[in-house]
Amino acid sequence: MEMLLSTKGITICLFFFVLSLAAAIEIPLSVSQLPTITEQSHTQVAYPFDEDFTIKCEARGNPHPTFNWTKDGKPFDLLSDPRIVTSNNSGTFVIQNRGIINNFQGKYRCFASNVLGTAMSEEIELIVPSVPKFPKEKIEPLDVEHGDSVILHCNPPKGIPPLHIYWMNIDLQHIPQDERVSMSLKGDLYFANVEENDSRSDYCCFAAFPRLRTIVQKMPMTLKVSRLKHANDSGSPNAAVTKANFIKERKPKLLIPPESAGSSSSVTVIKGGVLLLECIAEGLPTPHLSWVKVTGNMPKDEPETENFGKILKIDQVSAADEGTYQCMASNPMGRAKHEFHVHVEEPPQWLKKPEGGVYSVGTNLVLLCEAIGNPEPSIQWKLNGMPIDSRTFRGRISTREISLTNLQLQDSAVFQCEATNKHGTILASANVNVLNIAPLILTSDGENYATVVGYSAFLHCDIFASPAADVRWTKDDSIEPLSTFRYELNKNGTLEIKDTKKEDSGSYACWAANSVGKRAITANLDIRDATKLVVTPKNPRVLKSHSILLKCQAEYDSHLKHSFKLSWRKDGDELPVNSTEGGRMILDRDTLFISSVLLEDQGVYTCVGSTSLDSATAESRLIVLDVPDPPEDLQLSENQNRSVRLSWRAGSSHNSPVNESIIEFEENRWEPGRWQELTRIPGDDTTALLSLAPYVNYQFRVVSVNAVGRSQPSKPSLRYSTPPAAPDKNPENIRVEASEPNEMVMKWEPLKPVERNGPGLEYKVSWRQRGVRTDWNEETVKKHSLTVRNTPTFVPYEIKVQAVNNLGSGPEPNVTIGYSGEDFPDAAPSGVSVDVVNSTLVKVFWLGIPRDRVRGHLRGYKVSWWKTKSMLDGKRHHPEKHFLTFVGDRNYGMIPGLDPFSEFRLTVLAYNSRGDGPESSPVVFETPEGVPEQPRFLRILNFDKDSVTLSWGLPRKANGHLTGYILQYQIINETHEVGPVSEVSVTNRSTLSWRLSGLSPSTKYKFYVKACTAKGCGKPVTEEGLTVAQGTYAGIYDGISTQGWFIGLMCAIALLTLLLLTICFVRRNKGGKYSVKEKEDLHPDPEAQSIKDEIFGEYSDSDEKPLKGSLQSLNGDIKATESADSLVDYGEGEHGMFNEDGSFIGAYSGSKEKGSVESTGSSTATFPLHA
């Protein structure tokens, strides 16, 4: 329960709160009561380096108790020594360390008394240790002979345990210990037999007292070991030692316990303590110690021994360890033994302690006191710290019981029971308070409680009363006690309301009454809405290395807003608020983001929301998907010549079931180290019968596949070799490739290495001319080709290829038809004619050559043409041939891209795989007039306020006799809006300039000029310009044109303009974009759409020359004649074919004609149609 501090003291009732009930209610301090010891010291050591020593004794009672002390059973006056400092209303005192404090050593007891009785503490022993010191003494050297037994005594001084003893030399090096040399529990150093190397003058015993922070050293001792006097006659030292040993050899003799103790002794150990039994023996050779338990079994299979087997140690001694133990020292000369009779005793322990309490007048009292121990403890009863005199005590008293009847107020007292044996004393006190008071309600009046719907509410009403009070609860204005199954009244007066509802809110009253009086308090209860959580997404499945965002949506009561907290847990462990895993996990209030998800991120993520009244959780299980782990433990079984069974153990599927297993193999004869797929096994099977090829040394591996992907390959299996066999198949893809006219080259795909089936693979090739009765020609080769010479030109042959190895031949091969070498065609097409379609396109017809004149596989026909002269000026042209290829056996083709109004010559030839045949006789044809190309340039010579003078060049190609020019112009602005188009027709073909008048001042215009023939008009050239503002031009000219600075400025502007034009020209040649293009994009030509509708795209006789004008006229002519020719009518040029949309993407042969079209800055402008 969480206590919230407020004016009225609001107490919040927490979920699952359970109040533990005491056997007797603690008496409020406001009620008269006996003293009770609440705190006391226990055994204490007064270390000399401490400044003071505190002995505590605190007690409560009403009236407050006074304190008295005894020391060693006698009264001890705290004021008797000025070194003792006391405190008011306390029994605790402090002893100041001013040097000698030995007189304070003893056993103290504290007594706390008031008018009702006396309470007594347990004994407090204060130990004042003396500073341990070794006595100053002179230790005589020990002279012994080789093989004798020696004891070096330490005799450490007394001090506070624990005591640690060490034997070292003067350089603080430990004396080596073993089965021959060892230290006893008392600290003496025992030699079972001495050797010469034991001689030294610095045997030092060190005694360490950790609690006193003290280490003391005994004076060094000298040990001299000499040889036997009668053994010195031997010439060899080793022989002397051996002889001495022989003389000194003796059976073991126990030094601990000494022989004076007899053959057995008794040992007493306290239950729960440590049992240490020690046996140390002397003898030569060195005796070996062993232990047995004579009665019963050892507490362990192998008893724990220390000090080279000389100490038997048993921890946590119990009654089962009691019995007789025997130690035996043995060597080849004999043995010695001793028995220990172990008795397990224990200090007193309570079976039943007397319990006090609050009693009402007239009731009866029974106090019980029982203790066990070994020896059996004695029991003594005391009353208020003093032994009870049975003669004056009005009740009954026995060893284990005290009883009183008809208790009265004056019977209040402290009863003490003390149990004692030789191992200690225990004390139990029982306060008997006889009271007769009205109920006291210890819970504050007007407490406010709150809980959430569905939880339990606890309304407290802690009561103290004697006699016991009757308690009942009511709600609101009702006087009837609450009694339904949801209400439960606990023994301490608390009302528990189970499975609360909103209607449980209200005011409650607690009533307490006994024979002396009655009391009541009120309490208020509020019911809040429960906290609810939802985590989304629910149980997501995420690929490894991907990311996931978990969001916790919460609903809680608005009154609990300030106490609401959210946290996250993974598999029950809370995740820290700060970023974890190097920033992979980021907690941000109600979200949990995990980037680069790992397999170990899988688990249950819990969102925990808590308020001051309740808590709620919501879970989402994150499932991480990954490729499977590699299969393991590959095994081979069912071994056959052509098969073997492969089995494996699947690795973890990582939440995505395995749907396929890929079995791969590697063989080390043909392609060592190269893994190849052998087969695939669907589903999650872990075994497969593999079909194998002969003469292969296999090893296998397996790859598991799930929906995420492939696992890493497994480790390879053991190798498995199959025996050789004859080939199972013959070569495939048998063919005859192009060669010389009188030879035939037969080729085929060689067998794969795993298809050879054995050593010595060769190919038996058989062939004969088709349709001729003759025997098969045969030849065996190792490579996968064979050349046969002196064959007729292009005749069919039957061909067979069979695989053969050292173990036999493959199956009967199939017959394949192939042709011998080809030669050039020896005839030209006849009947060549030309049908002119339009000014740039003609259709050619011819008659194919006979089949026997092809002398090979007919690949197609080639049409070549060249321009002989222009019909416009009659000028002859140097012949530059172009050609198109028409694939297949056909008799016509379309020739596009011709110059209009020109004379051409044309030939046709047939070709096969060998090459071209002879050309046909040339055919002469002429193309009609076409539309002109755009004029070379358009310039604005002079701008006035309402007129402009335009100048233009001749068209690049006239394509016919010019009939004149069309001028068009329209107003434009910087937006997409344009004005209507005005048009002027110039019928004099010699006119190359024109003055337009009637223009608006200060207005931007776009001008178009295009040339025309009888066939039509070509593309326009464009320019833009701005008319001068009214009255401005003349004024400027008259005022400043004669000034020197103006002339200089105009020269600078002219130079700058020339520089900019140069840069633009360079950029254009490099394919850059500049402002003209941007302007044209902003103001599109009205005729743009019609030009885009042309069927033929760009077509040129080189990679640089687009013949857009000719293609436009060609398009118009085709529409006019409604030509139905498809794209197959157009042949293949030197660099390409037509696209599917009819645009010609290749180029025909020949170089660029002099004076051909070159693109200029404004040549790409579009032309308006709504003139």
Side-chain angles (χ1 to χ4, degrees):
M1 175 163 291
E2 179 182 355
M3 178 67 72
L4 301 178
L5 301 178
S6 67
T7 307
K8 295 185 177 181
I10 301 176
T11 302
I12 304 300
C13 177
L14 281 180
F15 176 52
F16 292 135
F17 175 81
V18 178
L19 183 65
S20 60
L21 302 178
I25 297 177
E26 184 176 346
I27 306 174
L29 269 179
S30 59
V31 178
S32 297
Q33 57 188 285
L34 293 162
T36 301
I37 302 293
T38 57
E39 185 180 8
Q40 72 161 85
S41 297
H42 297 281
T43 300
Q44 188 170 344
V45 178
Y47 296 109
F49 44 77
D50 289 338
E51 294 183 357
D52 51 47
F53 320 102
T54 301
I55 300 180
K56 292 183 178 180
C57 180
E58 302 293 343
R60 66 190 292 268
N62 188 3
H64 190 76
T66 58
F67 298 90
N68 295 293
W69 286 87
T70 63
K71 178 188 174 193
D72 298 328
K74 298 178 182 180
F76 179 68
D77 185 4
L78 299 181
L79 303 178
S80 62
D81 194 307
R83 291 173 292 179
I84 297 177
V85 179
T86 60
S87 301
N88 294 330
N89 299 321
S90 172
T92 299
F93 65 93
V94 179
I95 302 174
Q96 297 178 336
N97 186 0
R98 298 180 183 175
I100 300 174
I101 56 173
N102 292 339
N103 58 316
F104 288 107
Q105 180 165 309
K107 295 182 178 180
Y108 294 81
R109 196 185 290 271
C110 172
F111 295 87
S113 305
N114 65 11
V115 294
L116 299 177
T118 300
M120 178 177 67
S121 73
E122 297 178 4
E123 278 191 340
I124 305 170
E125 183 176 8
L126 178 64
I127 301 172
V128 182
S130 58
V131 178
K133 293 181 180 180
F134 278 105
K136 293 183 179 181
E137 56 183 337
K138 183 179 180 181
I139 304 174
E140 296 295 332
L142 285 176
D143 291 319
V144 295
E145 293 181 348
H146 192 286
D148 286 347
S149 170
V150 174
I151 303 174
L152 299 182
H153 295 284
C154 181
N155 298 323
K158 293 183 179 181
I160 298 297
L163 167 64
H164 302 297
I165 298 177
Y166 309 95
W167 282 90
M168 293 185 284
N169 60 21
I170 199 67
D171 294 325
L172 300 181
Q173 300 293 321
H174 287 274
I175 302 298
Q177 298 187 28
D178 52 22
E179 200 169 35
R180 183 179 65 86
V181 181
S182 60
M183 183 181 71
S184 68
L185 291 173
K186 292 184 178 180
D188 298 333
L189 190 63
Y190 285 78
F191 295 79
N193 52 79
V194 293
E195 300 173 353
E196 286 190 50
N197 57 8
D198 293 327
S199 297
R200 60 188 316 132
S201 60
D202 57 353
Y203 282 96
C204 300
C205 178
F206 290 84
F209 299 89
R211 295 178 66 184
L212 294 175
R213 306 176 191 173
T214 300
I215 299 177
V216 293
Q217 176 189 344
K218 189 179 179 74
M219 295 296 291
M221 289 175 270
T222 301
L223 176 62
K224 296 180 181 179
V225 181
S226 59
R227 302 178 185 175
L228 288 174
K229 294 178 181 179
H230 51 269
N232 293 335
D233 300 335
S234 174
S236 171
N238 291 335
V241 171
T242 303
K243 187 173 182 180
N245 288 346
F246 178 75
I247 296 173
K248 290 287 188 176
E249 281 185 350
R250 59 193 180 278
K251 70 176 185 178
K253 174 186 175 183
L254 290 175
L255 302 178
I256 296 177
E259 286 187 339
S260 59
S263 62
S264 65
S265 58
S266 295
V267 177
T268 299
V269 62
I270 296 177
K271 182 180 179 181
V274 180
L275 171 64
L276 296 172
L277 301 179
E278 183 178 34
C279 276
I280 297 180
E282 61 94 4
L284 187 67
T286 302
H288 174 73
L289 272 295
S290 61
W291 294 85
V292 295
K293 187 175 183 183
V294 179
T295 58
N297 298 322
M298 280 287 189
K300 299 179 180 178
D301 295 337
E302 290 292 334
E304 182 181 356
T305 58
E306 295 180 349
N307 199 18
F308 310 101
K310 299 173 184 180
I311 297 175
L312 178 69
K313 180 180 179 181
I314 300 176
D315 292 316
Q316 295 294 321
V317 173
S318 65
D321 298 321
E322 198 169 64
T324 301
Y325 295 81
Q326 183 186 83
C327 76
M328 180 178 294
S330 59
N331 68 6
M333 307 303 296
R335 63 183 60 183
K337 60 184 178 180
H338 186 86
E339 291 185 348
F340 298 90
H341 302 293
V342 176
H343 302 282
V344 179
E345 298 185 351
E346 58 179 320
Q349 290 186 359
W350 291 117
L351 284 179
K352 187 170 292 186
K353 293 195 295 185
E355 295 182 357
V358 176
Y359 298 86
S360 57
V361 174
T363 58
N364 299 326
L365 168 68
V366 175
L367 298 178
L368 301 177
C369 183
E370 294 183 26
I372 59 170
N374 189 6
E376 184 178 352
S378 60
I379 303 292
Q380 183 183 16
W381 286 96
K382 293 183 179 181
L383 179 65
N384 293 326
M386 302 299 293
I388 298 177
D389 186 352
S390 58
R391 294 172 298 176
T392 58
F393 185 63
R394 79 175 187 86
R396 296 176 58 187
I397 183 171
S398 65
T399 303
R400 292 188 174 87
E401 182 180 312
I402 284 181
S403 62
L404 279 171
T405 59
N406 192 21
L407 289 174
Q408 301 300 314
L409 294 177
Q410 59 270 24
D411 289 326
S412 296
V414 181
F415 291 85
Q416 290 98 8
C417 178
E418 202 167 46
T420 305
N421 69 7
K422 65 179 182 179
H423 299 298
T425 299
I426 54 177
L427 173 69
S429 298
N431 287 14
V432 176
N433 289 279
V434 182
L435 300 174
N436 193 43
I437 60 173
L440 292 177
I441 300 181
L442 306 179
T443 303
S444 300
D445 188 20
E447 288 278 5
N448 294 320
Y449 298 87
T451 189
V452 297
V453 173
Y455 288 64
S456 293
F458 297 89
L459 309 184
H460 298 299
C461 187
D462 293 336
I463 298 169
F464 180 80
S466 182
D470 175 44
V471 180
R472 61 189 179 90
W473 283 85
T474 61
K475 183 185 178 190
D476 296 333
D477 298 330
S478 174
I479 60 174
E480 294 297 324
L482 301 172
S483 60
T484 65
F485 70 94
R486 290 198 305 113
Y487 300 101
E488 182 176 330
L489 182 62
N490 297 328
K491 291 182 179 180
N492 63 349
T494 297
L495 175 66
E496 179 183 358
I497 307 174
K498 300 177 182 179
D499 191 21
T500 56
K501 299 178 174 57
K502 280 286 190 179
E503 52 267 26
D504 290 325
S505 298
S507 177
Y508 293 80
C510 172
W511 302 84
N514 66 4
S515 58
V516 184
K518 61 181 178 180
R519 294 285 191 277
I521 62 168
T522 59
N524 300 311
L525 176 63
D526 289 325
I527 306 298
R528 308 296 190 196
D529 292 325
T531 302
K532 298 178 182 178
L533 302 177
V534 175
V535 175
T536 55
K538 185 71 172 177
N539 302 334
R541 299 168 67 88
V542 182
L543 290 177
K544 180 186 174 185
S545 302
H546 286 221
S547 301
I548 180 66
L549 177 67
L550 297 178
K551 185 172 181 62
C552 185
Q553 299 172 339
E555 293 181 8
Y556 49 87
D557 194 287
S558 59
H559 296 87
L560 307 176
K561 176 179 179 181
H562 298 293
S563 66
F564 179 74
K565 295 179 181 178
L566 268 182
S567 62
W568 288 89
R569 296 176 185 169
K570 179 182 182 293
D571 297 330
D573 297 327
E574 186 162 350
L575 295 174
V577 175
N578 296 327
S579 297
T580 61
E581 303 274 346
R584 279 196 324 103
M585 287 191 180
I586 301 175
L587 279 71
D588 185 11
R589 302 173 66 182
D590 60 344
T591 60
L592 170 60
F593 178 73
I594 307 175
S595 62
S596 300
V597 172
L598 304 177
L599 291 175
E600 51 265 32
D601 293 329
Q602 179 168 300
V604 177
Y605 289 83
T606 305
C607 175
V608 181
S610 61
T611 67
S612 55
L613 295 182
D614 70 337
S615 64
T617 61
E619 295 180 350
S620 182
R621 179 179 294 276
L622 174 61
I623 300 172
V624 181
L625 306 178
D626 196 9
V627 298
D629 284 343
E632 300 174 343
D633 193 23
L634 272 63
Q635 300 292 333
L636 298 176
S637 61
E638 302 179 20
N639 301 350
Q640 301 293 330
N641 289 347
R642 294 289 189 107
S643 67
V644 70
R645 181 169 292 279
L646 176 66
S647 304
W648 62 91
R649 180 162 49 86
S652 173
S653 65
H654 296 307
N655 303 306
S656 180
V658 173
N659 52 42
E660 187 179 46
S661 296
I662 302 174
I663 300 176
E664 299 176 338
F665 75 93
E666 180 264 352
E667 51 81 27
N668 58 5
R669 179 173 288 114
W670 313 109
E671 297 177 287
R674 178 173 175 257
W675 288 92
Q676 306 174 59
E677 183 175 318
L678 179 62
T679 185
R680 297 192 176 211
I681 307 301
D684 57 357
D685 289 346
T686 57
T687 182
L689 187 63
L690 306 179
S691 297
L692 306 179
Y695 198 54
V696 179
N697 190 17
Y698 287 97
Q699 69 173 347
F700 306 99
R701 70 183 187 185
V702 183
V703 176
S704 295
V705 183
N706 63 8
V708 181
R710 294 187 175 194
S711 72
Q712 291 294 316
S714 68
K715 293 182 179 179
S717 68
L718 297 176
R719 289 216 173 256
Y720 182 73
S721 297
T722 55
D728 293 327
K729 62 180 295 186
N730 292 314
E732 297 175 346
N733 191 21
I734 300 169
R735 61 200 181 277
V736 177
E737 294 189 350
S739 57
E740 294 300 320
N742 295 325
E743 70 177 18
M744 178 172 61
V745 180
M746 294 172 283
K747 294 186 178 182
W748 56 89
E749 294 294 332
L751 294 184
K752 297 178 182 177
V754 294
E755 296 173 343
R756 299 188 176 204
N757 286 11
L761 177 69
E762 293 180 323
Y763 301 101
K764 187 174 75 172
V765 184
S766 303
W767 71 96
R768 67 183 179 186
Q769 189 171 338
R770 186 179 184 185
V772 178
R773 293 182 176 272
T774 183
D775 294 333
W776 288 92
N777 300 294
E778 293 184 354
E779 188 172 340
T780 301
V781 295
K782 293 184 178 180
K783 57 184 181 179
H784 54 280
S785 67
L786 176 63
T787 301
V788 178
R789 305 186 187 280
N790 300 320
T791 60
T793 301
F794 196 64
V795 296
Y797 277 83
E798 296 178 340
I799 302 170
K800 298 190 297 184
V801 181
Q802 185 178 30
V804 180
N805 66 15
N806 292 347
L807 281 83
S809 301
E812 180 65 25
N814 297 323
V815 175
T816 301
I817 303 300
Y819 286 82
S820 58
E822 302 181 33
D823 204 347
F824 299 105
D826 61 358
S830 60
V832 178
S833 63
V834 177
D835 184 5
V836 177
V837 179
N838 58 38
S839 61
T840 60
L841 178 68
V842 298
K843 188 172 185 179
V844 182
F845 298 90
W846 63 87
L847 297 177
I849 66 176
R851 179 69 60 185
D852 58 340
R853 306 295 295 276
V854 176
R855 301 205 291 178
H857 294 288
L858 178 65
R859 299 302 182 190
Y861 292 88
K862 289 183 182 178
V863 177
S864 300
W865 73 92
W866 60 96
K867 183 176 178 180
T868 56
K869 69 176 180 179
S870 171
M871 304 296 292
L872 182 63
D873 55 9
K875 184 179 180 181
R876 292 282 175 176
H877 286 261
H878 179 74
E880 296 177 358
K881 277 195 173 183
H882 313 275
F883 72 89
L884 282 178
T885 300
F886 298 90
V887 178
D889 187 6
R890 56 186 296 170
N891 60 1
Y892 70 93
M894 304 292 287
I895 307 298
L898 302 176
D899 289 344
F901 208 42
S902 300
E903 180 186 271
F904 291 89
R905 292 178 181 258
L906 177 147
T907 63
V908 182
L909 63 83
Y911 70 95
N912 61 16
S913 300
R914 179 73 174 160
D916 296 344
E919 290 183 305
S920 66
S921 299
V923 174
V924 179
F925 66 93
E926 296 179 356
T927 55
E929 285 189 79
V931 295
E933 293 186 3
Q934 63 183 180
R936 295 179 181 273
F937 63 87
L938 173 62
R939 297 191 182 96
I940 303 174
L941 297 182
N942 191 14
F943 251 121
D944 290 332
K945 63 180 179 180
D946 59 353
S947 64
V948 63
T949 301
L950 300 178
S951 174
W952 61 89
L954 292 172
R956 302 174 190 279
K957 282 188 178 182
N959 292 336
H961 297 289
L962 292 178
T963 60
Y965 297 90
I966 298 295
L967 276 65
Q968 294 176 316
Y969 59 95
Q970 61 185 152
I971 297 174
I972 62 173
N973 51 35
E974 297 304 325
T975 67
H976 292 289
E977 299 176 0
V978 294
V981 176
S982 301
E983 184 174 295
V984 176
S985 179
V986 179
T987 58
N988 185 352
R989 62 184 181 182
S990 300
T991 301
L992 295 177
S993 64
W994 196 268
R995 181 174 183 81
L996 293 174
S997 58
L999 304 181
S1000 301
S1002 300
T1003 302
K1004 190 172 185 180
Y1005 283 87
K1006 186 169 185 177
F1007 303 95
Y1008 309 85
V1009 175
K1010 54 185 177 180
C1012 300
T1013 64
K1015 192 68 176 180
C1017 298
K1019 287 186 177 181
V1021 61
T1022 66
E1023 186 60 274
E1024 295 178 4
L1026 182 68
T1027 55
V1028 180
Q1030 186 171 3
T1032 302
Y1033 182 83
I1036 293 176
Y1037 180 81
D1038 293 340
I1040 65 173
S1041 61
T1042 59
Q1043 301 297 317
W1045 63 266
F1046 176 74
I1047 297 173
L1049 177 62
M1050 291 298 102
C1051 291
I1053 292 174
L1055 288 174
L1056 181 60
T1057 303
L1058 180 60
L1059 178 61
L1060 290 176
L1061 289 175
T1062 303
I1063 293 174
C1064 290
F1065 179 76
V1066 171
R1067 288 191 60 194
R1068 173 164 180 80
N1069 286 343
K1070 292 183 179 181
K1073 293 183 178 179
Y1074 56 102
S1075 58
V1076 173
K1077 172 64 178 169
E1078 294 172 358
K1079 292 178 181 179
E1080 291 174 349
D1081 291 341
L1082 182 63
H1083 308 294
D1085 196 313
E1087 289 188 354
Q1089 189 60 40
S1090 66
I1091 294 178
K1092 290 181 181 179
D1093 289 339
E1094 294 177 355
I1095 291 178
F1096 299 103
E1098 295 183 359
Y1099 166 71
S1100 68
D1101 60 353
S1102 71
D1103 290 339
E1104 299 177 357
K1105 185 177 65 175
L1107 301 181
K1108 295 182 180 177
S1110 62
L1111 292 180
Q1112 178 186 13
S1113 61
L1114 171 64
N1115 182 46
D1117 292 345
I1118 289 177
K1119 289 181 179 179
T1121 59
E1122 298 183 354
S1123 173
D1125 292 326
S1126 65
L1127 290 181
V1128 296
D1129 297 340
Y1130 296 85
E1132 293 185 358
E1134 291 177 326
H1135 303 289
M1137 286 285 291
F1138 286 91
N1139 287 330
E1140 292 182 1
D1141 61 356
S1143 59
F1144 187 70
I1145 63 173
Y1148 55 89
S1149 63
S1151 62
K1152 182 172 62 177
E1153 184 180 352
K1154 293 180 181 179
S1156 61
V1157 175
E1158 294 289 350
S1159 298
T1160 59
S1162 61
S1163 64
T1164 58
T1166 56
F1167 190 82
L1169 293 178
H1170 50 280

